[in-house]
Amino acid sequence: MRTRFAPSPTGPLHLGHAYSALRAHDLAKDASGTFVLRIEDIDRGRSREEWEAQIQEDLRWLGLSWETPVLRQSERREAYRAALDSLWQRGLLYACTCNRRDVLSAASAPNEGEPLVGPDGIVYPGTCRSKPRAHTVLPDGVALRLDMSLALNQFRMERSGHREAVPENDRFRAFQETGRGPNGETGIIHSSYGHLQNNIGDVVLARRDFGTSYHLSVVVDDAFQDITHVVRGEDLFDATLIHVLLQHLLGLDAPIYVHHELVRDETGSRLAKRHDSMAISSYREAGATPADIRSLVGL
Ligand code: GLU
């Protein structure tokens, strides 16, 4: 068993992160497996070495140890380009020149109703999807989106094992998991093709400024690091559906996903989303012990 904790060094480690890290760590250690720390620093504008150092120090203080050397996503550009190239060559990606404002105004056009919001914000209304696609070399310096409809068609065809696709209303059987699904269910989680198509849509797989995206990098690196169990918050459930689809398209093994509940305060608000959610370092300074942190998050 290999599990991982994959923080972005863009701020302090808080209780919600600590909970996720402890769950992933304990799962591996209880099975005599390996725990991996991966630094998700593709956002060069927001990532800071100081935050990475602080995160590592907090995790060590909590009693965690991990495999070394630690992988940094900023060093993996070539692997991401290779994965993007494979999707690009099959016509599954298209270049998108829309900025946030373009997406918002297209999605709020009078006949469109309320814009749908997916895991990455407003579901892309498809403005650039129909532009002619020149399938030559993978372009650089432009955003690339996954053509969700084509990708799902490919997935359905291959699932059914013949040229005829699995019918549209068949369930998207994503993965096995030992944690909870969005409705509290356990076991194999189902979603629908329609949900991926309409509520997730053409997600960005390469940002113009990074040349990759969270979704693409995480899938490529979980496979590269032979992660067998991904432990993450249930807020990432829709992201997991994207990841399972990408694993399929890229021919990568799918890990088992364990979605855990989010750490909440007394009023039920998610700590991660609150400005004043306390950093682990503040608890330390106030005299808390690692055991106190474990008990605060219910472990
Ligand atoms: N870097 C991501 C985060 O901190 C990793 C989460 C995941 O992929 O499980 O939210």
mmCIF file of all heavy atoms in Angstrom, residues 1-5 19-37 64-67 178 225-231 256 258 294:
data_model
loop_
_atom_site.group_PDB
_atom_site.id
_atom_site.type_symbol
_atom_site.label_atom_id
_atom_site.label_comp_id
_atom_site.label_asym_id
_atom_site.label_seq_id
_atom_site.Cartn_x
_atom_site.Cartn_y
_atom_site.Cartn_z
ATOM 1 N N MET A 1 0.827 -1.196 0.000
ATOM 2 C CA MET A 1 0.000 0.000 0.000
ATOM 3 C C MET A 1 0.867 1.254 0.000
ATOM 4 O O MET A 1 1.828 1.350 0.736
ATOM 5 C CB MET A 1 -0.897 0.010 1.245
ATOM 6 C CG MET A 1 -1.783 1.241 1.285
ATOM 7 S SD MET A 1 -2.836 1.312 2.727
ATOM 8 C CE MET A 1 -3.998 0.018 2.394
ATOM 9 N N ARG A 2 0.517 2.179 -0.884
ATOM 10 C CA ARG A 2 1.223 3.468 -0.933
ATOM 11 C C ARG A 2 0.183 4.579 -0.927
ATOM 12 O O ARG A 2 -0.702 4.619 -1.773
ATOM 13 C CB ARG A 2 2.093 3.560 -2.201
ATOM 14 C CG ARG A 2 3.326 2.631 -2.126
ATOM 15 C CD ARG A 2 4.061 2.595 -3.449
ATOM 16 N NE ARG A 2 4.588 3.887 -3.864
ATOM 17 C CZ ARG A 2 5.741 4.412 -3.432
ATOM 18 N NH1 ARG A 2 6.495 3.758 -2.562
ATOM 19 N NH2 ARG A 2 6.144 5.580 -3.876
ATOM 20 N N THR A 3 0.278 5.451 0.038
ATOM 21 C CA THR A 3 -0.650 6.580 0.127
ATOM 22 C C THR A 3 0.160 7.864 0.035
ATOM 23 O O THR A 3 1.389 7.844 0.133
ATOM 24 C CB THR A 3 -1.429 6.575 1.448
ATOM 25 O OG1 THR A 3 -0.518 6.848 2.527
ATOM 26 C CG2 THR A 3 -2.111 5.250 1.708
ATOM 27 N N ARG A 4 -0.553 8.975 -0.153
ATOM 28 C CA ARG A 4 0.199 10.232 -0.280
ATOM 29 C C ARG A 4 -0.586 11.392 0.341
ATOM 30 O O ARG A 4 -1.815 11.354 0.465
ATOM 31 C CB ARG A 4 0.538 10.513 -1.728
ATOM 32 C CG ARG A 4 -0.580 10.402 -2.764
ATOM 33 C CD ARG A 4 -1.559 11.503 -2.665
ATOM 34 N NE ARG A 4 -2.387 11.671 -3.839
ATOM 35 C CZ ARG A 4 -3.292 12.626 -3.951
ATOM 36 N NH1 ARG A 4 -3.542 13.441 -2.938
ATOM 37 N NH2 ARG A 4 -4.021 12.755 -5.036
ATOM 38 N N PHE A 5 0.177 12.425 0.676
ATOM 39 C CA PHE A 5 -0.411 13.710 1.031
ATOM 40 C C PHE A 5 0.238 14.688 0.072
ATOM 41 O O PHE A 5 1.453 14.665 -0.114
ATOM 42 C CB PHE A 5 -0.094 14.072 2.491
ATOM 43 C CG PHE A 5 -0.608 15.422 2.897
ATOM 44 C CD1 PHE A 5 -1.962 15.722 2.816
ATOM 45 C CD2 PHE A 5 0.258 16.405 3.366
ATOM 46 C CE1 PHE A 5 -2.442 16.976 3.185
ATOM 47 C CE2 PHE A 5 -0.216 17.664 3.743
ATOM 48 C CZ PHE A 5 -1.563 17.946 3.647
ATOM 49 N N TYR A 19 -5.690 16.649 9.119
ATOM 50 C CA TYR A 19 -6.575 15.480 9.180
ATOM 51 C C TYR A 19 -6.337 14.572 7.965
ATOM 52 O O TYR A 19 -6.170 13.352 8.101
ATOM 53 C CB TYR A 19 -8.033 15.940 9.234
ATOM 54 C CG TYR A 19 -9.027 14.815 9.256
ATOM 55 C CD1 TYR A 19 -9.024 13.873 10.290
ATOM 56 C CD2 TYR A 19 -9.973 14.665 8.244
ATOM 57 C CE1 TYR A 19 -9.932 12.827 10.313
ATOM 58 C CE2 TYR A 19 -10.884 13.618 8.256
ATOM 59 C CZ TYR A 19 -10.854 12.702 9.297
ATOM 60 O OH TYR A 19 -11.747 11.664 9.307
ATOM 61 N N SER A 20 -6.296 15.177 6.781
ATOM 62 C CA SER A 20 -6.087 14.402 5.555
ATOM 63 C C SER A 20 -4.730 13.692 5.578
ATOM 64 O O SER A 20 -4.622 12.514 5.216
ATOM 65 C CB SER A 20 -6.132 15.379 4.373
ATOM 66 O OG SER A 20 -6.795 14.834 3.296
ATOM 67 N N ALA A 21 -3.702 14.422 6.019
ATOM 68 C CA ALA A 21 -2.353 13.853 6.075
ATOM 69 C C ALA A 21 -2.307 12.692 7.065
ATOM 70 O O ALA A 21 -1.736 11.629 6.772
ATOM 71 C CB ALA A 21 -1.347 14.932 6.466
ATOM 72 N N LEU A 22 -2.917 12.876 8.232
ATOM 73 C CA LEU A 22 -2.907 11.821 9.254
ATOM 74 C C LEU A 22 -3.667 10.581 8.775
ATOM 75 O O LEU A 22 -3.217 9.452 8.974
ATOM 76 C CB LEU A 22 -3.519 12.335 10.566
ATOM 77 C CG LEU A 22 -2.654 13.336 11.357
ATOM 78 C CD1 LEU A 22 -3.493 14.094 12.384
ATOM 79 C CD2 LEU A 22 -1.481 12.622 12.054
ATOM 80 N N ARG A 23 -4.804 10.795 8.118
ATOM 81 C CA ARG A 23 -5.580 9.648 7.626
ATOM 82 C C ARG A 23 -4.779 8.851 6.596
ATOM 83 O O ARG A 23 -4.748 7.623 6.627
ATOM 84 C CB ARG A 23 -6.900 10.129 6.982
ATOM 85 C CG ARG A 23 -7.958 10.600 7.959
ATOM 86 C CD ARG A 23 -8.749 9.463 8.590
ATOM 87 N NE ARG A 23 -9.313 8.536 7.628
ATOM 88 C CZ ARG A 23 -10.580 8.537 7.220
ATOM 89 N NH1 ARG A 23 -11.437 9.403 7.709
ATOM 90 N NH2 ARG A 23 -11.011 7.644 6.351
ATOM 91 N N ALA A 24 -4.122 9.574 5.667
ATOM 92 C CA ALA A 24 -3.343 8.896 4.624
ATOM 93 C C ALA A 24 -2.144 8.182 5.245
ATOM 94 O O ALA A 24 -1.830 7.036 4.899
ATOM 95 C CB ALA A 24 -2.885 9.905 3.576
ATOM 96 N N HIS A 25 -1.487 8.854 6.167
ATOM 97 C CA HIS A 25 -0.317 8.302 6.839
ATOM 98 C C HIS A 25 -0.687 7.043 7.631
ATOM 99 O O HIS A 25 -0.054 5.994 7.498
ATOM 100 C CB HIS A 25 0.270 9.370 7.765
ATOM 101 C CG HIS A 25 1.400 8.893 8.603
ATOM 102 N ND1 HIS A 25 1.221 8.410 9.880
ATOM 103 C CD2 HIS A 25 2.726 8.799 8.351
ATOM 104 C CE1 HIS A 25 2.383 8.043 10.364
ATOM 105 N NE2 HIS A 25 3.318 8.261 9.463
ATOM 106 N N ASP A 26 -1.753 7.135 8.432
ATOM 107 C CA ASP A 26 -2.153 6.009 9.280
ATOM 108 C C ASP A 26 -2.583 4.811 8.444
ATOM 109 O O ASP A 26 -2.279 3.667 8.785
ATOM 110 C CB ASP A 26 -3.298 6.413 10.220
ATOM 111 C CG ASP A 26 -2.845 7.451 11.257
ATOM 112 O OD1 ASP A 26 -1.648 7.814 11.262
ATOM 113 O OD2 ASP A 26 -3.699 7.905 12.051
ATOM 114 N N LEU A 27 -3.284 5.090 7.333
ATOM 115 C CA LEU A 27 -3.739 3.997 6.467
ATOM 116 C C LEU A 27 -2.538 3.188 5.968
ATOM 117 O O LEU A 27 -2.536 1.956 6.023
ATOM 118 C CB LEU A 27 -4.521 4.577 5.277
ATOM 119 C CG LEU A 27 -5.189 3.581 4.333
ATOM 120 C CD1 LEU A 27 -6.331 2.842 5.024
ATOM 121 C CD2 LEU A 27 -5.736 4.291 3.081
ATOM 122 N N ALA A 28 -1.489 3.892 5.525
ATOM 123 C CA ALA A 28 -0.296 3.200 5.015
ATOM 124 C C ALA A 28 0.447 2.504 6.143
ATOM 125 O O ALA A 28 0.824 1.336 6.024
ATOM 126 C CB ALA A 28 0.619 4.183 4.296
ATOM 127 N N LYS A 29 0.652 3.228 7.237
ATOM 128 C CA LYS A 29 1.468 2.653 8.321
ATOM 129 C C LYS A 29 0.797 1.432 8.941
ATOM 130 O O LYS A 29 1.461 0.451 9.266
ATOM 131 C CB LYS A 29 1.779 3.707 9.393
ATOM 132 C CG LYS A 29 2.696 4.820 8.885
ATOM 133 C CD LYS A 29 4.114 4.320 8.544
ATOM 134 C CE LYS A 29 4.709 5.112 7.404
ATOM 135 N NZ LYS A 29 6.095 5.418 7.408
ATOM 136 N N ASP A 30 -0.536 1.462 9.076
ATOM 137 C CA ASP A 30 -1.250 0.322 9.662
ATOM 138 C C ASP A 30 -1.115 -0.921 8.784
ATOM 139 O O ASP A 30 -1.288 -2.039 9.255
ATOM 140 C CB ASP A 30 -2.735 0.649 9.871
ATOM 141 C CG ASP A 30 -2.926 1.644 11.010
ATOM 142 O OD1 ASP A 30 -1.946 1.900 11.749
ATOM 143 O OD2 ASP A 30 -4.047 2.182 11.155
ATOM 144 N N ALA A 31 -0.834 -0.712 7.487
ATOM 145 C CA ALA A 31 -0.700 -1.854 6.575
ATOM 146 C C ALA A 31 0.770 -2.095 6.237
ATOM 147 O O ALA A 31 1.068 -2.755 5.239
ATOM 148 C CB ALA A 31 -1.500 -1.577 5.305
ATOM 149 N N SER A 32 1.689 -1.532 7.040
ATOM 150 C CA SER A 32 3.134 -1.601 6.781
ATOM 151 C C SER A 32 3.469 -1.103 5.381
ATOM 152 O O SER A 32 4.365 -1.631 4.720
ATOM 153 C CB SER A 32 3.668 -3.030 6.940
ATOM 154 O OG SER A 32 3.323 -3.525 8.191
ATOM 155 N N GLY A 33 2.708 -0.117 4.929
ATOM 156 C CA GLY A 33 2.940 0.440 3.596
ATOM 157 C C GLY A 33 3.811 1.688 3.658
ATOM 158 O O GLY A 33 4.485 1.941 4.657
ATOM 159 N N THR A 34 3.767 2.455 2.573
ATOM 160 C CA THR A 34 4.629 3.629 2.448
ATOM 161 C C THR A 34 3.777 4.885 2.307
ATOM 162 O O THR A 34 2.774 4.888 1.577
ATOM 163 C CB THR A 34 5.511 3.490 1.185
ATOM 164 O OG1 THR A 34 6.234 2.269 1.305
ATOM 165 C CG2 THR A 34 6.491 4.640 1.033
ATOM 166 N N PHE A 35 4.202 5.926 3.012
ATOM 167 C CA PHE A 35 3.523 7.216 2.929
ATOM 168 C C PHE A 35 4.420 8.168 2.140
ATOM 169 O O PHE A 35 5.622 8.244 2.384
ATOM 170 C CB PHE A 35 3.262 7.741 4.346
ATOM 171 C CG PHE A 35 2.690 9.124 4.403
ATOM 172 C CD1 PHE A 35 1.416 9.400 3.921
ATOM 173 C CD2 PHE A 35 3.429 10.168 4.965
ATOM 174 C CE1 PHE A 35 0.891 10.686 3.988
ATOM 175 C CE2 PHE A 35 2.902 11.455 5.039
ATOM 176 C CZ PHE A 35 1.633 11.717 4.547
ATOM 177 N N VAL A 36 3.812 8.862 1.190
ATOM 178 C CA VAL A 36 4.554 9.738 0.282
ATOM 179 C C VAL A 36 4.088 11.178 0.482
ATOM 180 O O VAL A 36 2.888 11.420 0.640
ATOM 181 C CB VAL A 36 4.275 9.294 -1.185
ATOM 182 C CG1 VAL A 36 4.820 10.279 -2.190
ATOM 183 C CG2 VAL A 36 4.812 7.881 -1.431
ATOM 184 N N LEU A 37 5.029 12.110 0.489
ATOM 185 C CA LEU A 37 4.683 13.537 0.494
ATOM 186 C C LEU A 37 5.016 14.079 -0.886
ATOM 187 O O LEU A 37 6.128 13.883 -1.382
ATOM 188 C CB LEU A 37 5.500 14.274 1.560
ATOM 189 C CG LEU A 37 5.350 15.800 1.587
ATOM 190 C CD1 LEU A 37 3.948 16.217 2.032
ATOM 191 C CD2 LEU A 37 6.404 16.423 2.524
ATOM 192 N N LEU A 64 4.746 12.482 11.530
ATOM 193 C CA LEU A 64 4.717 11.790 10.242
ATOM 194 C C LEU A 64 6.119 11.685 9.641
ATOM 195 O O LEU A 64 6.958 12.557 9.846
ATOM 196 C CB LEU A 64 3.812 12.516 9.241
ATOM 197 C CG LEU A 64 2.391 12.868 9.670
ATOM 198 C CD1 LEU A 64 1.538 13.194 8.453
ATOM 199 C CD2 LEU A 64 1.735 11.733 10.441
ATOM 200 N N SER A 65 6.348 10.593 8.924
ATOM 201 C CA SER A 65 7.604 10.466 8.168
ATOM 202 C C SER A 65 7.224 9.954 6.797
ATOM 203 O O SER A 65 6.165 9.337 6.618
ATOM 204 C CB SER A 65 8.552 9.493 8.868
ATOM 205 O OG SER A 65 7.904 8.255 9.047
ATOM 206 N N TRP A 66 8.051 10.241 5.821
ATOM 207 C CA TRP A 66 7.687 9.920 4.433
ATOM 208 C C TRP A 66 8.919 9.540 3.630
ATOM 209 O O TRP A 66 10.055 9.783 4.037
ATOM 210 C CB TRP A 66 6.962 11.109 3.790
ATOM 211 C CG TRP A 66 7.669 12.417 3.986
ATOM 212 C CD1 TRP A 66 8.660 12.945 3.211
ATOM 213 C CD2 TRP A 66 7.453 13.349 5.047
ATOM 214 N NE1 TRP A 66 9.053 14.149 3.717
ATOM 215 C CE2 TRP A 66 8.340 14.427 4.845
ATOM 216 C CE3 TRP A 66 6.589 13.387 6.163
ATOM 217 C CZ2 TRP A 66 8.403 15.531 5.702
ATOM 218 C CZ3 TRP A 66 6.655 14.487 7.012
ATOM 219 C CH2 TRP A 66 7.548 15.539 6.782
ATOM 220 N N GLU A 67 8.601 8.979 2.474
ATOM 221 C CA GLU A 67 9.636 8.538 1.546
ATOM 222 C C GLU A 67 10.411 9.764 1.025
ATOM 223 O O GLU A 67 9.814 10.808 0.772
ATOM 224 C CB GLU A 67 8.924 7.858 0.366
ATOM 225 C CG GLU A 67 9.804 7.129 -0.593
ATOM 226 C CD GLU A 67 8.958 6.480 -1.701
ATOM 227 O OE1 GLU A 67 8.391 7.199 -2.530
ATOM 228 O OE2 GLU A 67 8.882 5.246 -1.720
ATOM 229 N N THR A 178 -13.177 2.862 -0.412
ATOM 230 C CA THR A 178 -13.459 2.349 0.917
ATOM 231 C C THR A 178 -14.024 3.457 1.790
ATOM 232 O O THR A 178 -14.341 3.239 2.935
ATOM 233 C CB THR A 178 -12.165 1.805 1.547
ATOM 234 O OG1 THR A 178 -11.200 2.845 1.483
ATOM 235 C CG2 THR A 178 -11.655 0.608 0.807
ATOM 236 N N GLN A 225 4.086 7.626 -9.043
ATOM 237 C CA GLN A 225 4.536 7.268 -7.695
ATOM 238 C C GLN A 225 3.873 5.984 -7.183
ATOM 239 O O GLN A 225 3.991 5.680 -6.001
ATOM 240 C CB GLN A 225 4.278 8.436 -6.737
ATOM 241 C CG GLN A 225 5.085 9.683 -7.115
ATOM 242 C CD GLN A 225 5.087 10.728 -6.004
ATOM 243 O OE1 GLN A 225 4.076 11.363 -5.732
ATOM 244 N NE2 GLN A 225 6.221 10.883 -5.342
ATOM 245 N N ASP A 226 3.185 5.270 -8.065
ATOM 246 C CA ASP A 226 2.536 3.995 -7.702
ATOM 247 C C ASP A 226 1.636 4.112 -6.483
ATOM 248 O O ASP A 226 1.643 3.229 -5.594
ATOM 249 C CB ASP A 226 3.595 2.903 -7.420
ATOM 250 C CG ASP A 226 4.336 2.500 -8.677
ATOM 251 O OD1 ASP A 226 3.683 2.456 -9.739
ATOM 252 O OD2 ASP A 226 5.558 2.254 -8.589
ATOM 253 N N ILE A 227 0.886 5.201 -6.426
ATOM 254 C CA ILE A 227 -0.028 5.385 -5.292
ATOM 255 C C ILE A 227 -1.181 4.389 -5.432
ATOM 256 O O ILE A 227 -1.820 4.326 -6.486
ATOM 257 C CB ILE A 227 -0.558 6.850 -5.258
ATOM 258 C CG1 ILE A 227 0.610 7.844 -5.135
ATOM 259 C CG2 ILE A 227 -1.596 7.035 -4.155
ATOM 260 C CD1 ILE A 227 1.500 7.648 -3.927
ATOM 261 N N THR A 228 -1.432 3.620 -4.383
ATOM 262 C CA THR A 228 -2.503 2.616 -4.461
ATOM 263 C C THR A 228 -3.806 3.138 -3.860
ATOM 264 O O THR A 228 -4.883 2.722 -4.258
ATOM 265 C CB THR A 228 -2.113 1.320 -3.715
ATOM 266 O OG1 THR A 228 -1.898 1.641 -2.329
ATOM 267 C CG2 THR A 228 -0.848 0.700 -4.302
ATOM 268 N N HIS A 229 -3.698 4.039 -2.868
ATOM 269 C CA HIS A 229 -4.884 4.573 -2.196
ATOM 270 C C HIS A 229 -4.754 6.086 -2.079
ATOM 271 O O HIS A 229 -3.803 6.569 -1.449
ATOM 272 C CB HIS A 229 -5.032 3.982 -0.793
ATOM 273 C CG HIS A 229 -5.339 2.510 -0.804
ATOM 274 N ND1 HIS A 229 -4.427 1.566 -1.212
ATOM 275 C CD2 HIS A 229 -6.467 1.836 -0.467
ATOM 276 C CE1 HIS A 229 -4.985 0.369 -1.132
ATOM 277 N NE2 HIS A 229 -6.217 0.505 -0.688
ATOM 278 N N VAL A 230 -5.705 6.801 -2.667
ATOM 279 C CA VAL A 230 -5.710 8.262 -2.553
ATOM 280 C C VAL A 230 -6.718 8.635 -1.472
ATOM 281 O O VAL A 230 -7.901 8.315 -1.579
ATOM 282 C CB VAL A 230 -6.097 8.930 -3.891
ATOM 283 C CG1 VAL A 230 -6.320 10.429 -3.706
ATOM 284 C CG2 VAL A 230 -5.014 8.680 -4.939
ATOM 285 N N VAL A 231 -6.227 9.270 -0.417
ATOM 286 C CA VAL A 231 -7.091 9.718 0.678
ATOM 287 C C VAL A 231 -7.290 11.217 0.496
ATOM 288 O O VAL A 231 -6.317 11.971 0.445
ATOM 289 C CB VAL A 231 -6.420 9.444 2.042
ATOM 290 C CG1 VAL A 231 -7.293 9.954 3.185
ATOM 291 C CG2 VAL A 231 -6.137 7.953 2.206
ATOM 292 N N ILE A 256 -7.345 3.266 -5.560
ATOM 293 C CA ILE A 256 -8.603 3.240 -4.804
ATOM 294 C C ILE A 256 -8.731 4.602 -4.122
ATOM 295 O O ILE A 256 -7.740 5.128 -3.597
ATOM 296 C CB ILE A 256 -8.585 2.104 -3.762
ATOM 297 C CG1 ILE A 256 -8.630 0.761 -4.498
ATOM 298 C CG2 ILE A 256 -9.727 2.246 -2.762
ATOM 299 C CD1 ILE A 256 -8.456 -0.445 -3.596
ATOM 300 N N VAL A 258 -10.363 7.072 -1.246
ATOM 301 C CA VAL A 258 -11.002 7.125 0.066
ATOM 302 C C VAL A 258 -11.352 8.594 0.310
ATOM 303 O O VAL A 258 -10.471 9.419 0.481
ATOM 304 C CB VAL A 258 -10.037 6.634 1.169
ATOM 305 C CG1 VAL A 258 -10.704 6.688 2.530
ATOM 306 C CG2 VAL A 258 -9.532 5.227 0.861
ATOM 307 N N ARG A 294 -4.617 15.476 17.003
ATOM 308 C CA ARG A 294 -5.341 14.266 16.614
ATOM 309 C C ARG A 294 -6.737 14.267 17.231
ATOM 310 O O ARG A 294 -7.716 13.921 16.578
ATOM 311 C CB ARG A 294 -4.591 13.016 17.066
ATOM 312 C CG ARG A 294 -3.493 12.599 16.098
ATOM 313 C CD ARG A 294 -2.962 11.202 16.462
ATOM 314 N NE ARG A 294 -1.950 10.792 15.511
ATOM 315 C CZ ARG A 294 -2.194 9.996 14.451
ATOM 316 N NH1 ARG A 294 -3.383 9.506 14.227
ATOM 317 N NH2 ARG A 294 -1.217 9.693 13.625
#
